[in-house]
Amino acid sequence: MDDDRRNQLLATYRDGLLNDVLPFWTRHAVDREHGGFLTSLDRDGTVVDTDKSLWPQGRFAWLLGELYNSVEPREEWLELARHGVEFLDRHAVDPVDGRMWFAVTRDGRPLRKRRYAFTESFAAIAYGEYAQATGRDEYAAKAEAAFRRFVEHGTTFRDPSPKWTDTRPTAGLGGPMITIVTASELRDSIGLEDADALIDEAIETIRTKHVNADLRCVLETVSPEGEPIDSFDGRTLNPGHAIEGAWFTMKEGRRRGDNALVQLGLTMLDWTWKRGWDAEHGGMLYFTSTDGRPVQEYWHDMKFWWPHNEAIIATLLAYTLTGDSKYAAWHALVHDWAHERFADPEHGEWFGYLHRDGTPSSSLKGNWWKGPFHLPRMQLECWRLLAEPSPAWRH
Amino acid sequence: MDDDRRNQLLATYRDGLLNDVLPFWTRHAVDREHGGFLTSLDRDGTVVDTDKSLWPQGRFAWLLGELYNSVEPREEWLELARHGVEFLDRHAVDPVDGRMWFAVTRDGRPLRKRRYAFTESFAAIAYGEYAQATGRDEYAAKAEAAFRRFVEHGTTFRDPSPKWTDTRPTAGLGGPMITIVTASELRDSIGLEDADALIDEAIETIRTKHVNADLRCVLETVSPEGEPIDSFDGRTLNPGHAIEGAWFTMKEGRRRGDNALVQLGLTMLDWTWKRGWDAEHGGMLYFTSTDGRPVQEYWHDMKFWWPHNEAIIATLLAYTLTGDSKYAAWHALVHDWAHERFADPEHGEWFGYLHRDGTPSSSLKGNWWKGPFHLPRMQLECWRLLAEPSPAWRH
């Protein structure tokens, strides 16, 4: 990659983050009446649903705190981060069982709790950045407590009316994958002491149970022992998740100077790219299968924004780590395909949902799942990668 | 509609049912090793998943019994109906709480139970036809018991870990709609005594709570008092469901000679057609919204087979009841659009899932939800409609 391309990309990510994506959300999503963020926004930022999903409350507060801590200490960002964490403080936790809700009404009355505990993981990283930004120890404690609840949920939670019986127990990639990134964030923000050990354990789970050398893929759902399951769910691959796990693993390897971890992440990326990239229409398929047999999820061949964000990071990181032109080519493919189709030149930000052929399916900029997270995190990660020294840069 | 068109359509439905759709399932879906039916089939009938969803066990057994009772007493159909109901006998019910499972393994070990009780409704109609076919009273009792459980579930079931809190209670169209058709089937098969009263009550619920004159639509999800809810879910319309409810209501009106019921069904069809028919690409959209704002379900603009089956029945029934050429035109539109795109001339039966533009999304002929039900029921209903006298037939 030559300097021109590098500088051009760096500007695309940095300016996209600071002048497009972040202003879209700070302008439209901040609820000054009831606190927190309204993330269900139509193309032009109009609020289409006032319920508050709690994932994006934590994720946006994390982003604002991260920007304050690592880009520049803008008072506006800190104020908005506080706006988010204070909504979590007031409305996230069900006092009956101490677990966090998944969604609440605009004024914070509980609507839905889920069987998993990802709200806790996103609240943890929000609290962590806020603790770092303000030096307030009680927020470091809140960050750690939310993270412990997330980690322990996976091993101790017993649903009184489980969705599935114990006939065919499964283990998912999401738990260990989110453990890596959450522990990593808290290591930086609050100095989480056992972060390395938890990351080691999570990567080991992924390496031994989900990364399957026989099938040459990263299995999303396996038996608790890591065996493939011959069913719709067992054969269903989630390329976005696998590629997200790939760059978390590469990044940890880079930080530690551990080439085996880097290689593991590269392998996860290589195998997943071959299965997930749509050779016919371009873009990353939402689901594929281990053996080409059809999967059952209706939206399997749609193109969602976030797997493209994750693939843009992963390919650029792989390129900076290896200098292998294959990764630069993949990065250019997915960067260009996504920016040409998801980006909205008229109102800013990205659409979230395209048909397989790349035509738009929905005008939504945000909903209960899409908020200010995958896209701005990509812009921030890639901006950093391009600003750092790398053997891949040719001068 | 002239005699040529009428005869041509009649042959399409009758021959499609008897020579294409039914043989596809009797050839590929019958599990002679473990009993019951394997409905997760690829394009050519290859089994892609051996888990047994219980809805299609009951639905296929109902179809076979219905054909035996109303078309001709073929021994093969009765034997296969017995094959289905005996699998339900052995594996459908959880002895712990008496509720039926949603899915079991190939050999009948429980996998999943759901918060609703539609397995019970489909088991009920299967048992009912089998009771009628064999004269065995114990199956009439099983049919009625399963139906009572379905009806009572809606009012008495309290989930120990509910998916939603009580902050914003909702009522769905599915319960009363399935009550109409299930009670109607059991009225015919086992002489269910309070069928008329239950149907009256269900139609009254739909009329007063879901059919909304201000918005001119059939609301899928309302408050328990029948008020619209201004949220993603409250604004999301399900045209397939609304049109299914429309023809159930018209058919009941025709049976009773009750013109007000016929008119209610016609209104439901008229309003829903305008909102659900895709003016750009043709076909019936899976979800639309009350006010044009985007909905949240990813597959909202996909074309599924079953809403087209329901629309083909509803428009043909509306035409036979009114002679209004508008309905003949709508029927021709949806019949042609669907047969040109869903039908598989190579291996028979219909694909289930198309993109908005009508191109195929999946090669599956069946899965946990798609089985031998909506399509053959449409073929049987339309065959009957065309064989009966109607003021709409021009000679």
Side-chain angles (χ1 to χ4, degrees):
Chain A
M1 192 180 286
D2 64 25
D3 274 355
D4 279 355
R5 170 76 173 163
R6 184 184 163 201
N7 290 331
Q8 179 201 352
L9 283 172
L10 189 151
T12 298
Y13 296 123
R14 180 196 59 213
D15 300 347
L17 174 62
L18 300 180
N19 303 334
D20 171 17
V21 172
L22 197 62
F24 183 89
W25 295 98
T26 56
R27 189 176 307 133
H28 299 298
V30 181
D31 184 356
R32 291 293 173 191
E33 191 175 341
H34 293 283
F37 307 117
L38 297 158
T39 60
S40 295
L41 306 180
D42 210 347
R43 181 177 180 183
D44 61 0
T46 305
V47 175
V48 293
D49 186 273
T50 59
D51 292 335
K52 284 172 181 149
S53 171
L54 289 175
W55 290 16
Q57 309 297 319
R59 286 168 153 190
F60 194 16
W62 165 81
L63 175 69
L64 291 155
E66 175 73 22
L67 291 172
Y68 180 89
N69 290 323
S70 76
V71 174
E72 62 176 84
R74 290 194 200 173
E75 197 50 44
E76 180 200 3
W77 293 344
L78 183 61
E79 190 273 325
L80 288 173
R82 179 167 53 244
H83 185 84
V85 299
E86 288 181 350
F87 189 85
L88 291 172
D89 285 344
R90 284 199 303 279
H91 301 298
V93 176
D94 179 357
V96 173
D97 60 7
R99 294 189 55 212
M100 287 189 181
W101 300 103
F102 174 72
V104 298
T105 59
R106 184 175 177 189
D107 56 358
R109 286 168 296 139
L111 283 172
R112 188 170 175 187
K113 197 186 288 169
R114 304 203 66 158
R115 295 164 198 267
Y116 41 74
F118 291 113
T119 300
E120 280 82 344
S121 72
F122 302 124
I125 59 175
Y127 284 139
E129 295 302 325
Y130 190 65
Q132 181 183 348
T134 60
R136 293 174 63 178
D137 288 344
E138 71 268 35
Y139 279 99
K142 280 177 189 242
E144 179 163 352
F147 178 61
R148 300 286 174 218
R149 280 204 164 259
F150 165 71
V151 171
E152 284 156 22
H153 182 82
T155 52
T156 62
F157 179 65
R158 289 290 168 266
D159 193 320
S161 65
K163 189 168 175 180
W164 295 87
T165 67
D166 292 329
T167 298
R168 188 195 292 146
T170 61
L173 180 62
M177 190 188 75
I178 298 296
T179 298
I180 299 173
V181 70
T182 309
S184 172
E185 288 294 326
L186 297 181
R187 182 172 57 190
D188 292 343
S189 62
I190 64 165
L192 185 75
E193 286 195 4
D194 56 348
D196 283 9
L198 286 162
I199 292 169
D200 283 344
E201 188 187 337
I203 292 178
E204 193 61 10
T205 297
I206 292 173
R207 189 182 69 78
T208 57
K209 297 186 175 174
H210 295 272
V211 176
N212 190 294
D214 296 334
L215 300 168
R216 299 179 70 82
C217 67
V218 183
L219 292 165
E220 176 75 11
T221 305
V222 291
S223 80
E225 298 75 36
E227 294 300 316
I229 300 171
D230 185 21
S231 73
F232 272 129
D233 285 351
R235 292 194 307 271
T236 299
L237 303 177
N238 184 328
H241 259 187
I243 287 177
E244 201 173 349
W247 76 257
F248 294 168
T249 304
M250 279 186 253
K251 191 177 176 183
E252 188 66 18
R254 186 183 66 164
R255 178 189 176 111
R256 299 187 187 187
D258 181 337
N259 192 51
L261 284 192
V262 170
Q263 286 301 322
L264 174 63
L266 291 169
T267 299
M268 292 168 71
L269 173 60
D270 288 350
W271 288 350
T272 305
W273 183 276
K274 280 187 188 147
R275 290 168 167 279
W277 184 257
D278 182 351
E280 189 176 343
H281 295 280
M284 196 58 64
L285 295 160
Y286 198 89
F287 290 118
T288 60
S289 81
T290 54
D291 60 359
R293 282 187 279 176
V295 302
Q296 186 159 238
E297 289 292 4
Y298 308 141
W299 65 91
H300 67 104
D301 67 0
M302 287 180 70
K303 308 288 166 62
F304 281 31
W305 86 106
W306 70 266
H308 297 81
N309 296 148
E310 303 311 316
I312 289 170
I313 301 172
T315 50
L316 186 62
L317 176 56
Y319 180 61
T320 67
L321 285 165
T322 64
D324 186 337
S325 60
K326 172 178 83 174
Y327 296 119
W330 288 357
H331 176 262
L333 258 182
V334 63
H335 174 99
D336 292 349
W337 195 94
H339 280 82
E340 282 163 19
R341 288 162 185 83
F342 286 105
D344 178 6
E346 191 170 338
H347 295 284
E349 243 274 348
W350 281 24
F351 297 111
Y353 306 92
L354 310 179
H355 303 122
R356 181 175 177 185
D357 65 7
T359 55
S361 165
S362 171
S363 59
L364 286 174
K365 291 286 169 58
N367 56 21
W368 287 27
W369 287 271
K370 184 176 188 293
F373 186 63
H374 288 279
L375 172 56
R377 182 174 75 170
M378 172 201 89
Q379 293 168 318
L380 183 60
E381 287 285 337
C382 291
W383 170 15
R384 282 177 181 152
L385 281 172
L386 291 160
E388 289 165 2
S390 159
W393 312 141
R394 293 196 215 101
H395 299 283
Chain B
M1 192 180 287
D2 64 24
D3 274 357
D4 279 356
R5 171 75 173 164
R6 185 183 161 199
N7 289 331
Q8 178 201 351
L9 283 172
L10 190 151
T12 299
Y13 296 124
R14 180 196 59 212
D15 300 347
L17 173 62
L18 299 179
N19 303 335
D20 171 16
V21 173
L22 198 62
F24 183 90
W25 295 100
T26 56
R27 190 177 305 134
H28 300 297
V30 181
D31 184 355
R32 291 294 174 191
E33 191 174 341
H34 293 281
F37 307 117
L38 296 157
T39 61
S40 294
L41 306 179
D42 210 347
R43 180 177 180 184
D44 61 359
T46 305
V47 174
V48 292
D49 185 273
T50 59
D51 292 336
K52 284 173 181 147
S53 171
L54 289 176
W55 289 15
Q57 308 298 318
R59 286 169 154 190
F60 194 16
W62 165 81
L63 175 70
L64 292 155
E66 174 73 22
L67 291 171
Y68 180 89
N69 290 323
S70 75
V71 174
E72 61 176 86
R74 289 194 200 172
E75 198 49 47
E76 181 201 3
W77 292 344
L78 184 61
E79 190 274 324
L80 288 174
R82 180 167 52 243
H83 184 85
V85 299
E86 289 181 349
F87 189 84
L88 290 173
D89 285 344
R90 284 199 303 278
H91 301 298
V93 175
D94 179 357
V96 173
D97 60 7
R99 294 189 55 213
M100 288 189 180
W101 300 103
F102 174 72
V104 298
T105 60
R106 184 175 178 189
D107 56 359
R109 287 168 296 138
L111 283 173
R112 187 171 175 186
K113 196 185 291 168
R114 303 203 67 159
R115 295 164 198 266
Y116 40 74
F118 291 114
T119 301
E120 280 82 344
S121 72
F122 302 124
I125 58 175
Y127 284 139
E129 295 301 324
Y130 190 65
Q132 181 182 350
T134 60
R136 291 174 65 177
D137 288 343
E138 71 268 34
Y139 279 99
K142 280 178 190 243
E144 179 163 352
F147 178 62
R148 301 283 174 219
R149 281 205 164 261
F150 165 72
V151 171
E152 283 157 22
H153 181 82
T155 52
T156 62
F157 179 64
R158 289 290 168 268
D159 193 320
S161 64
K163 190 167 175 180
W164 297 87
T165 67
D166 292 329
T167 298
R168 187 194 294 144
T170 62
L173 181 63
M177 191 188 75
I178 300 297
T179 298
I180 299 173
V181 70
T182 309
S184 173
E185 287 294 326
L186 296 182
R187 183 171 58 190
D188 292 343
S189 62
I190 63 165
L192 184 76
E193 287 195 6
D194 56 349
D196 283 9
L198 286 162
I199 291 169
D200 283 343
E201 188 187 337
I203 292 178
E204 193 60 9
T205 297
I206 292 173
R207 189 182 69 78
T208 57
K209 297 185 176 175
H210 295 272
V211 176
N212 190 295
D214 296 334
L215 299 169
R216 297 178 71 83
C217 67
V218 183
L219 293 166
E220 175 76 11
T221 305
V222 292
S223 80
E225 297 75 35
E227 294 299 317
I229 299 171
D230 185 22
S231 73
F232 272 130
D233 285 352
R235 291 193 308 271
T236 299
L237 302 176
N238 184 328
H241 259 187
I243 286 176
E244 201 173 352
W247 76 258
F248 294 168
T249 304
M250 279 186 254
K251 191 177 177 185
E252 187 66 19
R254 187 183 65 164
R255 178 189 177 110
R256 298 188 187 187
D258 181 337
N259 192 51
L261 284 191
V262 170
Q263 286 301 323
L264 174 63
L266 291 170
T267 299
M268 292 168 70
L269 172 60
D270 288 349
W271 288 349
T272 306
W273 183 276
K274 279 186 190 148
R275 290 167 168 280
W277 184 259
D278 182 350
E280 189 177 342
H281 294 281
M284 196 58 64
L285 294 161
Y286 198 88
F287 290 118
T288 60
S289 81
T290 53
D291 61 0
R293 281 186 280 176
V295 303
Q296 187 159 237
E297 290 292 3
Y298 308 141
W299 66 90
H300 66 105
D301 67 359
M302 286 180 71
K303 307 288 166 63
F304 282 32
W305 86 105
W306 70 265
H308 296 80
N309 296 149
E310 303 311 317
I312 289 169
I313 300 171
T315 50
L316 186 62
L317 177 56
Y319 180 62
T320 67
L321 285 166
T322 64
D324 185 337
S325 60
K326 172 179 82 174
Y327 296 119
W330 288 358
H331 176 263
L333 258 182
V334 63
H335 174 98
D336 292 348
W337 194 94
H339 280 82
E340 282 163 19
R341 288 162 183 83
F342 286 106
D344 178 6
E346 191 171 336
H347 295 284
E349 243 274 348
W350 281 24
F351 297 111
Y353 307 92
L354 311 179
H355 302 122
R356 180 174 177 186
D357 65 6
T359 56
S361 165
S362 170
S363 59
L364 286 174
K365 291 288 169 58
N367 57 20
W368 287 27
W369 287 270
K370 185 177 187 292
F373 185 63
H374 289 279
L375 172 57
R377 182 175 74 171
M378 172 200 88
Q379 294 169 318
L380 183 60
E381 287 285 337
C382 290
W383 169 15
R384 283 178 181 151
L385 281 173
L386 292 159
E388 289 165 2
S390 159
W393 311 142
R394 292 195 215 98
H395 297 285

